[in-house]
Amino acid sequence: NIASADDNAGLLVNTLESGKLTIKGLSGISSAMGTPTVMTSAANKAAGGLIGCVGECAAVEVANALDISGFTVKATGNEGAAGGFIGRATKLALTFADGGSVTPARTVGDANTTYAGGAIGDVSFAADFVLTPGQIGFGDDAATAVELSAKKRAGGLFGRLDITNGDVTVRGGSYKSKLVGGQDSDGDRGGYGGIAGNVCSGDGSSIHALKIEKRDAVAVQIEIERTDSGKLCYVGGVVGYQDGDETTQRTAIVLDGAEVTINGVAYPYSGNGKLGGAVGMVDKNQLLDVRDFKLSSASGIGKQNGGSAGVAGSAWRGIIKFSGTTNLSDASFTDSNLSA
């Protein structure tokens, strides 16, 4: 186990302050006994399966196939970030060489973790970033879900995703996650999403987007599940909470080839909660652009608590644009005033 009480923590690197790290391989990981854990208990610090924290504009290259799926990652201090690959990164330059891939830790966060991401807990990229199938995965066809716990943001790939510096595109691939623990507070409502718990931006000079796109005519496959122990207010198939204010923090989410499946219960945990097949909460002046989207659910959407809907649980002065095909025929809806 790797643990820190006063700093970042990672299997390879606690803190990459600058420069470029190229990861060519790992050895001895498969022989680790039990369930090895990487964690930090320090406030405002991060824990990552491989790298705890990446400093502003530092670069990481993955040169070969890396598998740390047997690990658990936690960041229990206030504002702590935990990621199956990287805990926290600011203006990250992430690249994958031919054959380079990461199978991150499959258990990320706990009840005290603020940001939990299957790949990265809290991240902004240095410029536009495109993720393609096989670069970050959780097993063949995402057969095994990454298990997430957090008290504020949890996402299948990213706990908190800041798109200030460029578009982030997920082009094809399969991503499966399960929210198994953590609870927010009414004054600081949390979010869980199949790709990101939260999409935000800190700069109003330009609008960037999280884009979910087909690859070779195949849509991105996303599966989410909220267990009774996972208590975050806003739940979305793609993003839990898309936030900003009216003038300076505007974002877009573009769905142009997304197929979402909601497993387990299909409603929020509290009366204030919202569940959306695509986004839990679209906040003021944020844009959700639905071009090609399909939703399936194993149980009735909106059985109880809060409000639930096939596309967005709530759009408080948000903007939702429809074009192309929105297919809700495989989703089950409860006949109640809590679903739409």
Side-chain angles (χ1 to χ4, degrees):
N1 295 335
I2 297 173
S4 175
D6 57 8
D7 207 344
N8 303 302
L11 177 63
L12 290 183
V13 178
N14 291 341
T15 305
L16 177 65
E17 293 184 353
S18 60
K20 180 179 180 180
L21 171 67
T22 299
I23 308 173
K24 295 185 176 181
L26 300 171
S27 61
I29 300 301
S30 60
S31 62
M33 301 296 291
T35 304
T37 299
V38 179
M39 69 171 292
T40 179
S41 56
N44 298 302
K45 299 297 182 180
L50 289 177
I51 305 169
C53 183
V54 179
E56 186 169 336
C57 296
V60 176
E61 180 184 23
V62 179
N64 283 298
L66 310 173
D67 188 341
I68 51 170
S69 56
F71 277 68
T72 292
V73 182
K74 302 177 183 180
T76 62
N78 186 46
E79 289 296 301
F85 174 27
I86 298 171
R88 174 175 279 132
T90 304
K91 295 184 179 179
L92 172 66
L94 176 62
T95 56
F96 294 84
D98 289 343
S101 66
V102 177
T103 303
R106 287 205 180 106
T107 304
V108 180
D110 68 357
N112 295 311
T113 298
T114 303
Y115 307 102
I120 308 176
D122 183 10
V123 63
S124 66
F125 291 93
D128 291 349
F129 175 73
V130 179
L131 184 68
T132 57
Q135 292 178 333
I136 296 176
F138 300 97
D140 294 341
D141 299 321
T144 303
V146 57
E147 295 191 349
L148 304 166
S149 299
K151 64 180 182 180
K152 188 171 183 179
R153 309 289 188 232
L157 284 174
F158 313 111
R160 175 180 177 269
L161 173 62
D162 184 333
I163 55 174
T164 298
N165 306 308
D167 296 340
V168 173
T169 302
V170 179
R171 186 170 294 149
S174 298
Y175 304 97
K176 185 175 182 179
S177 62
K178 180 186 295 187
L179 182 66
V180 299
Q183 181 169 350
D184 57 17
S185 62
D186 191 51
D188 193 10
R189 298 176 184 178
Y192 160 57
I195 296 297
N198 171 223
V199 168
C200 61
S201 176
D203 182 1
S205 62
S206 59
I207 299 176
H208 294 295
L210 168 64
K211 300 179 179 180
I212 311 298
E213 298 179 351
K214 293 179 180 178
R215 180 180 171 89
D216 298 329
V218 178
V220 179
Q221 305 294 313
I222 305 168
E223 292 188 41
I224 67 166
E225 181 175 353
R226 183 189 70 79
T227 70
D228 288 339
S229 299
K231 297 180 178 181
L232 296 182
C233 191
Y234 303 127
V235 176
V238 180
V239 173
Y241 181 35
Q242 180 185 6
D243 77 329
D245 62 35
E246 296 184 14
T247 57
T248 63
Q249 298 178 342
R250 298 185 181 181
T251 63
I253 297 173
V254 180
L255 306 181
D256 198 9
E259 295 188 1
V260 171
T261 299
I262 301 175
N263 297 315
V265 297
Y267 52 83
Y269 87 92
S270 74
N272 291 321
K274 306 296 180 185
L275 178 143
V279 180
M281 164 66 87
V282 181
D283 215 334
K284 295 175 290 188
N285 276 8
Q286 312 307 303
L287 170 65
L288 173 59
D289 187 348
V290 185
R291 303 178 185 179
D292 188 343
F293 175 70
K294 180 179 180 180
L295 177 66
S296 303
S297 66
S299 60
I301 294 172
K303 180 180 178 181
Q304 63 189 59
N305 299 339
S308 302
V311 175
S314 177
W316 175 248
R317 297 173 67 183
I319 303 163
I320 302 178
K321 175 185 177 183
F322 290 94
S323 60
T325 302
T326 300
N327 183 352
L328 307 180
S329 61
D330 290 336
S332 173
F333 292 87
T334 301
D335 185 11
S336 77
N337 60 1
L338 301 176
S339 67

